[in-house]
Amino acid sequence: MVKALPKDGHIYTIENNPQHSRIAKKNFSAFNLSDKITLIEGDALEKINELSAKAPFDMIFIDADKSSYPKYLDWAESYIKQDGLIVADNTLLFDTVFLESPPKEVSEKSWHAMREFNDRLSDEKKYFSILIPTDEGMTVALKLTQVKNQGQRNV
Ligand SMILES: C[S@@+](CC[C@H](N)C(=O)[O-])C[C@H]1O[C@@H](n2cnc3c(N)ncnc32)[C@H](O)[C@@H]1O
């Protein structure tokens, strides 16, 4: 991601596990990336509110607790640029998301959350999106520009 940044680009990332934070910070420093990446420590659902001041974002990557994906999407929809990308990992939910009911190996809450998440991103009026069938499932959704008063869109 850093390699794809423009010169003045910046990555903000949120991590609630102190051990993961420590390792990530160590790596950012070892690769001289500390001025390109800001790691915010704490729970993503709380900390995204602090990030709203930095909006709009070119890209928002969602890869945290699965049961909160619709809440992350509520926030991402408000703070992504028109024509920006919302990307999310694990959207096949370990090959269970397309089953008729939640299997016992995933939590019911996560299963319903991921179905809602995928359903919302498949809205062609709002997004041009694809769920790439990697092992885990990776959704890439381009937020479409709304053309006012015409109910049409430009990509
Ligand atoms: C799948 S890993 C992310 C891997 C990373 N995207 C990568 O490609 O290397 C998910 C991370 O999100 C963190 N996490 C899970 N739930 C979170 C939450 N509610 N708030 C902040 N971080 C969370 C976990 O501690 C874990 O480090």
Side-chain angles (χ1 to χ4, degrees), residues 14-17 20 42-45 61 63-66 72 90:
I14 306 172
E15 176 55 61
N16 69 352
N17 179 315
H20 293 186
D43 186 77
L45 276 182
F61 180 51
D63 191 17
D65 54 306
K66 311 311 157 200
Y72 296 133
N90 306 115

Side-chain angles (χ1 to χ4, degrees), residues 88-124:
D89 201 11
N90 306 115
T91 47
L92 285 176
L93 199 65
F94 319 107
D95 278 347
T96 68
V97 81
F98 43 77
L99 300 177
E100 278 181 15
S101 55
K104 53 182 179 318
E105 64 266 27
V106 298
S107 87
E108 207 166 311
K109 192 175 174 203
S110 298
W111 188 83
H112 286 291
M114 198 60 84
R115 286 174 68 97
E116 178 191 333
F117 183 83
N118 288 336
D119 192 50
R120 284 169 62 184
L121 285 178
S122 69
D123 180 350
E124 293 181 355

Side-chain angles (χ1 to χ4, degrees), residues 6 22 30 57-58 75 77 84 112 114-115 128 142 150 155:
R22 241 188 337 271
F57 296 96
D58 296 304
W75 181 85
E77 281 186 322
H112 286 291
M114 198 60 84
R115 286 174 68 97
F128 184 65
L142 182 81
Q150 291 180 29
V155 178

